Amino acid sequence: MERSRAFVTKDEATTFVAQRMVGTPVRTASATTFAVMAQTWQAAQVHHRASTARTAASALNTLILPTLGDFTLAELDRATLQEAVGEWAATWSASRVRVAWSYVTSILTLAEQDGLIERRPTGVRLPRVETAQVVPLTAEQVQAIADAVPAWWRSMVVVGAATGLRSGELRGLTWDRVVGGVVVVDRQLVGVDRGAPVWGPPKTASSRRRLALGAIASDELEKVRGDSVGEDLVWRTRLGTPLTRTAASGVWRDAVSGMGLRDRSGWHELRHFHASMLIGSGLSVRAVADRLGHADPAETLRTYAHLWPTDDERAVAAVDAALSNLRSGGSDGIGR
């Protein structure tokens, strides 16, 4: 059975055909540079959202290509790649290095699939990401933030705390998605183009959800509704344009100044607060994951496991209750 083969350049295809015609063995190690392969990979990522494409382009241009771009695919062995990772780790955060490495492996996997290399190198060690435990805001801190933001932002703080919406979901909320005390999440704001919102799908399929608001959040929304209807954004600038992530971050920083929150605190803190309230109320991992729109309860546990109260005391009480009839001063023959 004849198998098709893809080539990055016309010259490479011509060489392959010529070698086949004269019976010369075809080498699998390609002379194609990593930079050329990266371009091919980028063009193939048609499923990427605009924000993901920008992230990948930034990682390639600032981190990956300056280090690996001029190497041919055949030159990229494990030692060379390990040296590159070490160079990145000396300057960049561990999380950014890991993201960059995920793009490198995807590009090399494509090269392997296209037959340009026999197999991609493995065994490269990556820096460990030290993840700090989430310390959620207190109810008093949320109240202080709501009081500190400009008046028309107050409802955004309250709804964020009451629903756990992500920033893009919150800033992209429109009035037709607020129905009978329920928020419908089926899209998010991913950008602004000449003053108009740019919509994107939710982060994952599980992020599509319906969330009850509660009386306090509903009341706050009614205060700002006015004559807004349909696809009017709930929160927007005074010019009626969507709120950018940068603008929202600036308002947040001003509101929490002097509160001693962690570095790079942002609107996501309201999502953590919401999760902590659900956990403190005794909701299961599955219920919290569904409310937050997590794709997998394991993600919820990785982020918030330390907030669930331990069951040790209840376990001991249950064991003592079950064994209570066995309590005695001792029994003849036992231990003799």
Side-chain angles (χ1 to χ4, degrees), residues 259-282:
M259 291 182 61
L261 301 187
R262 65 184 181 87
D263 292 341
R264 302 185 70 178
S265 163
W267 289 85
H268 209 76
E269 300 295 338
L270 296 176
R271 183 169 167 83
H272 294 325
F273 168 79
H274 184 73
S276 72
M277 293 299 98
L278 301 181
I279 294 167
S281 298

Side-chain angles (χ1 to χ4, degrees), residues 157-170:
V157 174
V158 174
V159 173
T163 61
L165 291 178
R166 298 179 176 92
S167 175
E169 297 168 345
L170 195 60

Side-chain angles (χ1 to χ4, degrees), residues 320 323-332 334:
D320 282 347
L323 300 179
S324 60
N325 291 335
L326 299 181
R327 177 176 290 174
S328 67
S331 177
D332 291 343
I334 296 178

Side-chain angles (χ1 to χ4, degrees), residues 168-191:
E169 297 168 345
L170 195 60
R171 291 179 291 108
L173 185 62
T174 51
W175 286 109
D176 59 342
R177 265 68 174 179
V178 182
V179 183
V182 172
V183 168
V184 178
V185 182
D186 59 357
R187 63 182 180 181
Q188 63 176 328
L189 183 68
V190 296

Side-chain angles (χ1 to χ4, degrees), residues 24 26 40-41 58 62 76 92 115 130 136 157 170 239 269 286 289:
T24 304
V26 180
T40 302
W41 175 82
S58 175
T62 63
L76 291 177
W92 302 89
E130 301 294 342
V157 174
L170 195 60
L239 298 177
E269 300 295 338
R286 176 77 264 177

Side-chain angles (χ1 to χ4, degrees), residues 137 140-149 157 252 255-256 259 261:
L137 299 170
E140 291 74 20
Q141 287 175 315
V142 173
Q143 180 69 57
I145 294 168
D147 293 341
V149 297
V157 174
W252 180 272
V256 303
M259 291 182 61
L261 301 187

Side-chain angles (χ1 to χ4, degrees), residues 96-158:
R96 183 162 190 185
V97 170
R98 283 178 170 267
V99 170
W101 178 250
S102 72
Y103 296 138
V104 171
T105 56
S106 292
I107 293 167
L108 293 178
T109 297
L110 180 60
E112 179 182 330
Q113 292 169 347
D114 286 352
L116 300 178
I117 56 175
E118 186 174 351
R119 63 180 60 87
R120 68 175 178 84
T122 58
V124 174
R125 297 176 65 86
L126 303 178
R128 183 190 299 273
V129 176
E130 301 294 342
T131 304
Q133 287 189 339
V134 170
V135 179
L137 299 170
T138 65
E140 291 74 20
Q141 287 175 315
V142 173
Q143 180 69 57
I145 294 168
D147 293 341
V149 297
W152 65 280
W153 288 77
R154 178 186 174 86
S155 57
M156 187 167 160
V157 174
V158 174

